[in-house]
Amino acid sequence: MIEIYISQEQIREKVVELGKKISEDYQGKEILMIVLLKGSFVFAADLARAVDGDVRLDFMKVSSYEGENSTGEVRILKDLDEKINGRHVLVIEDIIDTGLTLTKIMDVLKGRNPASLEICTFLNKPSRRLKEVDVKYSGFEIEDKFVIGYGLDYDQKYRQLPYIGEVVS
Ligand code: IMP
Ligand code: MG
């Protein structure tokens, strides 16, 4: 059974709020949103439409960590189409858990010399953090629980749910 943890209405309000902040902060600048596949695609679709400005989109897919091994490397499974040097890059993430994946991605992106580089995550589980990440925009801070829906999966299932849910038995 799935219990609703964050409702569609709460999500809608939060996305509007984030969109407003981002629109103000990037006034007059082109924003290159980098969508981390697959989980972030739903949030990114909503967020991009909530931002009033010059938004461009590109997509990246990396292999995620298995376990909590901080010595592991992420592999780029699909790289960006766009060059990012000199551009204002906003990385869109579904959820930050240990922070290991995003730390590696940020290192890769920093090395490509963007004009600015920030993170916007829909969910954040700070209690699970193994690597500090500097998150500029964060939707909801949640407890240490496994959630699904709104792009997030359990074994590739539930990504299409319009709310954030928790699987309960
Ligand atoms: P980490 O921050 O390197 O631990 O990895 C974060 C990634 O793990 C996210 O992008 C998700 O793909 C996945 N993840 C972490 N917590 C959850 C969850 O509660 N539900 C679904 N996926 C999760
Ligand atoms: Mg992910």
Side-chain angles (χ1 to χ4, degrees), residues 4 10 62 81-82 91 96 102 108 126 134 138 141 148 154:
I4 296 181
Q10 285 173 293
V62 300
D81 295 331
E82 303 275 321
V91 175
I96 308 177
L102 203 48
V108 170
D134 195 7
S138 175
E141 284 202 358
I148 44 94
Y154 173 67

Side-chain angles (χ1 to χ4, degrees), residues 13-158:
E13 280 172 18
K14 186 60 76 177
V15 169
V16 167
E17 184 190 314
L18 288 170
K20 276 201 184 120
K21 262 190 226 155
I22 292 167
S23 308
E24 282 166 21
D25 292 354
Y26 287 86
Q27 254 177 44
K29 292 175 184 158
E30 177 208 286
I31 310 169
L32 178 60
M33 292 187 176
I34 294 184
V35 184
L36 302 179
L37 297 172
K38 302 177 188 174
S40 306
F41 85 105
V42 178
F43 174 49
D46 282 349
L47 185 69
R49 287 177 292 176
V51 170
D52 180 18
D54 182 2
V55 174
R56 315 290 172 96
L57 288 148
D58 202 356
F59 301 85
M60 192 172 185
K61 183 167 168 55
V62 300
S63 62
S64 43
Y65 279 92
E66 278 164 25
E68 293 178 351
N69 181 5
S70 57
T71 58
E73 292 292 317
V74 293
R75 270 193 313 132
I76 297 176
L77 303 177
K78 186 229 171 286
D79 207 342
L80 300 171
D81 295 331
E82 303 275 321
K83 293 259 186 298
I84 67 167
N85 60 298
R87 302 176 73 178
H88 296 285
V89 171
L90 183 60
V91 175
I92 312 298
E93 182 60 305
D94 50 358
I95 185 166
I96 308 177
D97 189 31
T98 62
L100 295 174
T101 312
L102 203 48
T103 299
K104 291 285 179 184
I105 293 173
M106 293 302 273
D107 285 347
V108 170
L109 296 178
K110 253 177 234 156
R112 297 181 187 180
N113 299 314
S116 68
L117 180 61
E118 302 291 355
I119 296 167
C120 178
T121 188
F122 180 63
L123 299 176
N124 197 356
K125 284 188 205 170
S127 62
R128 296 258 307 159
R129 205 58 43 85
L130 295 177
K131 278 266 185 186
E132 225 25 72
V133 274
D134 195 7
V135 185
K136 178 131 188 209
Y137 308 97
S138 175
F140 297 94
E141 284 202 358
I142 64 167
E143 308 152 61
D144 181 11
K145 57 173 78 202
F146 194 84
V147 292
I148 44 94
Y150 200 61
L152 291 155
D153 72 306
Y154 173 67
D155 257 357
Q156 301 302 325
K157 275 165 60 178
Y158 308 121

